[in-house]
Amino acid sequence: MKKSIGLVVASLLLSGAAFTSCKSNTEKIEDAQEDVVDAKKDEIDAQQDLNEAKYENASDYEQYKAAIKLIIAENETRIAEFKVKLKTQSAENQKIYQEKINLLEKKNDQLEDDIEDFKEGVSENWNDFKNRIERSKNDIEADIENYKKEHNF
């Protein structure tokens, strides 16, 4: 699971470098498409982690964490797809849409940090934690759906 997190971080760093370099639009689109492929691989890894957690005698937290990690990976795939489509927009629209994409990435990263930081038996009870994570997850999913509607994606 740490391996997939590392892959996600590496993918994000590579995509950031790709977006800031002096490349042609075709090269930028190809790079963004590669990011989509990487994100889909991470999604598959997260699905495998979830399946393993279900079949092992994992705690409720471990099973829940694996399920949320899958959702995070799915969100990353969608965001990478948004970035590909962003490359076909005008410069003015790219600036506006990039800000929204950055916000989606920030929320998704925060959800990942929150799910990693939970310590059983410490300061927050399990139900409060799950409710907080569910609200964050639902907010991100709603934001992604709104982005898709706004941009006919």
Side-chain angles (χ1 to χ4, degrees), residues 7-79:
L7 288 173
V8 170
V9 171
S11 294
L12 290 174
L13 290 174
L14 287 174
S15 66
F19 290 126
T20 60
S21 65
C22 298
K23 294 183 178 181
S24 71
N25 281 341
T26 304
E27 290 173 324
K28 289 179 182 179
I29 290 172
E30 288 173 0
D31 288 344
Q33 288 171 335
E34 288 175 15
D35 290 342
V36 171
V37 171
D38 291 341
K40 287 185 181 189
K41 287 179 185 176
D42 292 341
E43 193 175 323
I44 291 168
D45 290 343
Q47 181 64 51
Q48 289 173 339
D49 291 344
L50 174 60
N51 291 340
E52 289 173 11
K54 285 181 179 178
Y55 292 115
E56 295 174 358
N57 289 328
S59 69
D60 287 343
Y61 167 67
E62 290 299 323
Q63 290 180 16
Y64 186 70
K65 179 179 173 181
I68 295 298
K69 288 279 194 180
L70 175 60
I71 291 167
I72 290 168
E74 290 169 348
N75 291 345
E76 288 171 351
T77 300
R78 288 186 198 115
I79 291 168

Side-chain angles (χ1 to χ4, degrees), residues 75-120:
N75 291 345
E76 288 171 351
T77 300
R78 288 186 198 115
I79 291 168
E81 290 169 345
F82 294 160
K83 288 180 178 181
V84 170
K85 190 167 184 176
L86 179 68
K87 297 299 175 193
T88 64
Q89 300 292 320
S90 68
E92 184 178 313
N93 285 342
Q94 281 185 11
K95 182 179 178 184
I96 295 167
Y97 299 159
Q98 185 63 51
E99 290 175 11
K100 291 180 181 183
I101 289 172
N102 290 344
L103 182 61
L104 289 173
E105 286 180 318
K106 183 178 178 181
K107 286 182 176 183
N108 206 47
D109 291 343
Q110 183 61 49
L111 177 60
E112 186 170 20
D113 291 345
D114 288 347
I115 196 71
E116 290 292 334
D117 290 343
F118 180 73
K119 305 286 187 249
E120 292 184 66

